[in-house]
Amino acid sequence: VDVDQSKNILVQQFVQEVMTQVEPRAVVFTSLWDYLVSPSYYFQVVEKERPDVIFIDRELLQNRTWYFIQMGRRYPEVDSLSKKSIDAFLIELNKFEKGEPFNYLTIKNRWDELLSDMITRLTQSHPVYVDPRIADEFPPEYDRVPEGLLVRLVKRGEKAEWKPIIVKFEGGSFANYVTEDMRRYYASMYTYHSMYLLEQKRLGEGLQSLQEALTVDPSFIPALNLKSRLSTLVR
């Protein structure tokens, strides 16, 4: 009984909400292997749900040469769009993997160039999303608009519709590494929504999102800090 997780559907709910809310032919850059990238393989390959969505694991993209081979097989369009930048980065990443001498600044610059090139090319024909934990790593010239459980990168001057989080976090009695990290993720996403809505002068919705963040995780520091700043402004 203590190890029974048969009623724990948090991951299923998470992936299905993402798949429901992203636009057609979406590209999703994420750091969430345990409860997005990995389970997305099952839903896309076995259940045939949203095969049009491209999920890219940022960590593997940055650190494993074999991931580019897999990406080329699953998503040949992405591979061909940024092939020059990919090849330049792989020269340096190969050195790192093989333990050969490499220049840290060079590999970092190649990585930054690759990420910028991929976003520039992909946004011309795909809606592109990131998770809030890595949103700051992407080119600053793109606006960030929260849509459900992800953040959409939008070219300056273009519009995207804010979308609320539909499925609430219901942790119940389950407590393990994944569920607790999901709790923090939901709290961070609600906080992101709150900051965006407050910037848009949507005070009521912004405060509601902040309350949702603190309901999910009362000790979530970014939400507590935001609440403190708002309290100071109201005085």
Side-chain angles (χ1 to χ4, degrees), residues 7 12-14 21 28 32 36 52 67 75-76 83-84 87 122 124 127 130 139 146 166 170 176 191 195 217 219 232:
K7 292 182 173 58
Q12 177 183 342
Q13 289 177 331
F14 188 96
Q21 292 211 335
V28 178
L32 310 175
L36 185 53
D52 61 303
Y67 189 67
Y75 312 126
K83 182 167 178 53
K84 185 176 180 180
D87 289 346
L122 286 168
Q124 294 175 10
V130 299
I166 303 301
E170 300 290 349
N176 55 44
T191 304
M195 291 188 293
D217 186 352
S219 62
T232 302

Side-chain angles (χ1 to χ4, degrees), residues 86-168:
I86 289 173
D87 289 346
F89 175 62
L90 284 176
I91 291 173
E92 302 305 317
L93 185 59
N94 263 304
K95 297 176 186 177
F96 171 77
E97 276 195 340
K98 294 178 180 179
E100 298 175 357
F102 71 93
N103 183 284
Y104 173 80
L105 185 59
T106 300
I107 196 171
K108 181 183 183 304
N109 288 339
R110 295 282 177 88
W111 165 249
D112 291 341
E113 290 165 4
L114 169 59
L115 202 57
S116 178
D117 183 61
M118 291 181 77
I119 298 302
T120 299
R121 294 177 185 277
L122 286 168
T123 51
Q124 294 175 10
S125 53
H126 297 264
V128 176
Y129 298 82
V130 299
D131 75 58
R133 293 178 174 177
I134 59 173
D136 290 343
E137 299 178 20
F138 292 82
E141 60 266 26
Y142 291 85
D143 290 331
R144 274 80 164 150
V145 180
E147 294 189 9
L149 291 167
L150 295 172
V151 178
R152 184 167 174 180
L153 299 183
V154 184
K155 293 179 184 177
R156 295 282 164 81
E158 293 188 1
K159 292 184 178 180
E161 180 184 357
W162 170 78
K163 297 178 182 178
I165 298 173
I166 303 301
V167 177
K168 297 183 182 296

